[in-house]
């Protein structure tokens, strides 16, 4: 069983999910701490949040590498240098390659109820489809787009008059809480993966006392 005390969090944008993890890990009882924050671009609020919290940051831009494979190797090396127990992709807008996925467990969060509406526009696509209920999914990353084993999901209603921004904000309130809860439980109780089933806690399914 794996446990997750040391977190490396990857971001590409505003970093409100990162902030929720930083805030939670201020309490030692949470069981996990953010040891580094990585990004695929400069000048984002996610990196500023890390710096304000005194957490080291790194940036690995795809365009700075001749090939995707070299970027994959470079970001895996950066992540591994912090010896994380768990990598959290929290609004990181790149698919991680084999060098990272083979070395680490990567947790990802998505603003829709997978397997519906994967990809970069999950909120927009759900709205365009006319669903009445959407939500968020916390899952393990695999080589596909939002296709890894699901760890937890929570539903969020779509309300009349919602646009993409309003609906995404309603989802993100739930998403942050769910991500913090799942990362904390994985850190404190450990986890196992069997096929597409992710179990947090003892293999019997009981929670640790
Ligand atoms: C989240 O909804 C995440 O699921 C999606 O982008 C958003 C990132 O938000 N991929 P933030 O950067 O954590 O504020």
């Amino acid at each position: 069983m794996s446990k997750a005390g040391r977190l490396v969090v990857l971001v590409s944008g505003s970093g409100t999910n990162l902030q929720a993890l930083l805030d939670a890990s201020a309490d030692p009882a949470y069981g996990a701490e953010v040891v580094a924050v990585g990004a695929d671009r400069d000048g984002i609020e996610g990196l500023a949040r890390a710096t304000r919290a005194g957490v080291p940051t790194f940036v690995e831009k795809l365009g700075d590498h001749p090939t995707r494979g070299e970027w994959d190797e470079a970001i895996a090396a950066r992540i591994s240098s912090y010896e994380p127990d768990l990598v959290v992709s929290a609004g990181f807008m790149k698919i991680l390659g084999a060098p990272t996925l083979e070395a680490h467990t990567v947790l990802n969060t998505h603003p829709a109820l997978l397997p519906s509406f994967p990809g970069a526009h999950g909120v927009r696509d759900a709205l365009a489809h006319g669903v009445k209920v959407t939500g968020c999914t916390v899952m393990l990353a695999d080589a596909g787009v939002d296709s890894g084993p699901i760890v937890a999901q929570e539903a969020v209603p779509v309300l009349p008059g919602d646009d993409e921004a309003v609906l995404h904000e309603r989802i993100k309130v739930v998403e942050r809480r769910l991500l913090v809860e799942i990362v904390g439980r994985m850190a404190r109780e450990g986890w196992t993966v069997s096929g597409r089933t992710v179990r947090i806690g003892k293999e019997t399914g009981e929670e640790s006392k």
Side-chain angles (χ1 to χ4, degrees):
M1 185 177 307
S2 308
K3 288 211 174 188
R6 295 173 63 81
L7 309 175
V8 168
V9 181
L10 303 177
V11 296
S12 297
S14 64
T16 63
N17 281 284
L18 163 66
Q19 188 68 56
L21 290 167
L22 289 167
D23 293 347
S25 62
D27 179 355
Y30 183 60
E33 64 166 331
V34 181
V35 296
V37 172
D40 61 338
R41 62 199 76 187
D42 296 311
I44 54 172
E45 181 61 15
L47 289 171
R49 289 176 190 276
T51 301
R52 285 198 294 272
V55 173
T57 63
F58 60 90
V59 176
E60 222 37 86
K61 296 181 200 170
L62 189 52
D64 287 346
H65 298 274
T67 65
R68 178 86 185 204
E70 283 162 88
W71 178 80
D72 283 334
E73 295 286 355
I75 196 153
R78 293 287 205 121
I79 292 168
S80 295
S81 72
Y82 291 97
E83 301 184 346
D85 301 302
L86 184 68
V87 177
V88 184
S89 172
F92 185 64
M93 302 304 284
K94 293 275 185 302
I95 304 294
L96 291 160
T100 297
L101 297 177
E102 286 170 7
H104 304 286
T105 299
V106 180
L107 198 65
N108 196 0
T109 175
H110 182 70
L113 290 176
L114 294 170
S116 293
F117 313 116
H121 304 294
V123 179
R124 186 186 307 171
D125 294 345
L127 208 48
H129 198 84
V131 297
K132 302 302 180 201
V133 176
T134 185
C136 54
T137 302
V138 175
M139 69 284 188
L140 299 185
D142 66 8
V145 177
D146 299 325
S147 55
I150 290 170
V151 183
Q153 293 185 298
E154 209 165 307
V156 174
V158 179
L159 301 180
D162 274 355
D163 61 17
E164 184 180 0
V166 168
L167 178 56
H168 199 172
E169 279 310 313
R170 188 179 308 118
I171 293 169
K172 283 177 70 171
V173 171
V174 178
E175 185 180 21
R176 288 190 286 266
R177 175 174 46 70
L178 188 65
L179 182 67
V180 165
E181 177 194 327
I182 293 301
V183 169
R185 287 190 56 213
M186 289 173 78
R188 295 187 302 272
E189 300 172 33
W191 72 92
T192 55
V193 183
S194 172
R196 289 198 60 85
T197 302
V198 183
R199 179 163 286 147
I200 300 176
K202 292 180 185 163
E203 295 202 35
T204 57
E206 285 175 27
E207 290 186 17
S208 305
K209 297 274 189 292

